[in-house]
Amino acid sequence: MSRKPSISEIGAFLGHVKAVRDNEADTGPLLAEKADLLERIAEANPDDRDAAQLAREARTAADRAQRNR
């Protein structure tokens, strides 16, 4: 089973969101990081269908961004 993201990992992600927004940087890596966190949350909560769906959607968006670079 995957380890749930820690508070510090989520805080770091939110810091990355702010940095990307402030610098108008490429969002591709941010989308991949978001997908990774959501996938870990979904894996840690196997009965939560909504978490699994959100993780799939986030991974699809991250993959699409990677292909469009």
Side-chain angles (χ1 to χ4, degrees):
M1 178 156 36
S2 181
R3 181 181 62 78
K4 286 192 252 185
S6 68
I7 295 298
S8 63
E9 289 172 310
I10 292 171
F13 169 72
L14 294 174
H16 297 156
V17 169
K18 183 178 182 331
V20 167
R21 184 192 68 212
D22 291 348
N23 298 314
E24 298 180 15
D26 177 20
T27 59
L30 183 65
L31 290 173
E33 185 178 1
K34 175 183 172 183
D36 291 343
L37 289 171
L38 290 172
E39 286 169 343
R40 288 172 49 200
I41 290 168
E43 288 173 15
N45 298 286
D47 295 331
D48 189 338
R49 290 182 181 168
D50 291 334
Q53 180 63 32
L54 286 171
R56 283 191 296 275
E57 291 171 5
R59 179 54 59 197
T60 298
D63 291 347
R64 188 177 310 121
Q66 180 66 27
R67 285 193 305 271
N68 291 332
R69 292 173 92 197

